[in-house]
Amino acid sequence: MTEISTLIVDGILAVLLVSVIVVCTIVYRRLGTIKSGQAELRALVDQLNTAVVDAQRSVANLKTSATEIEGRLQIEGKKASAIADELGLITEAGNNLADRIERGLSGATAAKKQQAPAETSASKKQQEEILAALREAR
């Protein structure tokens, strides 16, 4: 029995050793897969790092450009405001001048009616056209 029991123990140990070898082979292959995945992951991390650095550089350039454009827009806005104010003054002056001309023509027409009742219709027509043009221009 001692020989049989030794043989059984040796057989069990042999089976266990073979199973350990099989398990170690499987683990070794999986470690190789992990190492190759690690190399790929390292390459991806490097690419991501490069992309982040480029993005930071681009954002900084955008901020600089936005600041420059903002300054230009403020200058152009001030110029546009000054031009609008000037145009308002010119328009007001033109309206005042048109009012004076209209009053002068109306007054001249009334004075001529009193002085010369035989005025020609052509000059009356011209005056009316001028008055109409002034009114339309407003």
Side-chain angles (χ1 to χ4, degrees):
M1 231 181 158
T2 55
E3 276 184 36
I4 293 180
S5 61
T6 310
L7 217 95
I8 292 175
V9 171
D10 286 343
I12 291 173
L13 284 176
V15 169
L16 287 175
L17 279 174
V18 169
S19 63
V20 167
I21 290 172
V22 169
V23 169
C24 285
T25 305
I26 292 171
V27 169
Y28 181 76
R29 287 182 184 167
R30 287 189 181 172
L31 282 174
T33 305
I34 289 173
K35 280 186 178 182
S36 68
Q38 183 181 13
E40 290 175 12
L41 185 61
R42 181 176 290 127
L44 286 173
V45 168
D46 289 342
Q47 288 176 353
L48 180 62
N49 187 33
T50 303
V52 167
V53 169
D54 289 344
Q56 287 174 340
R57 199 174 303 129
S58 296
V59 167
N61 289 339
L62 282 173
K63 284 181 181 179
T64 303
S65 297
T67 303
E68 290 175 8
I69 290 172
E70 181 183 11
R72 289 181 196 163
L73 284 175
Q74 286 178 351
I75 291 170
E76 293 297 322
K78 288 178 183 178
K79 285 180 183 178
S81 178
I83 290 172
D85 291 343
E86 187 177 345
L87 286 174
L89 291 173
I90 290 171
T91 303
E92 187 177 335
N95 284 338
N96 291 339
L97 181 62
D99 287 342
R100 283 190 285 163
I101 291 173
E102 184 179 353
R103 277 184 265 139
L105 288 177
S106 297
T109 304
K112 283 186 180 182
K113 282 183 183 178
Q114 291 174 354
Q115 291 175 0
E119 186 178 299
T120 64
S121 65
S123 67
K124 268 187 179 181
K125 201 172 193 178
Q126 278 182 332
Q127 288 177 357
E128 288 175 3
E129 288 174 3
I130 291 172
L131 285 173
L134 286 172
R135 288 183 185 123
E136 285 179 28
R138 286 191 203 172

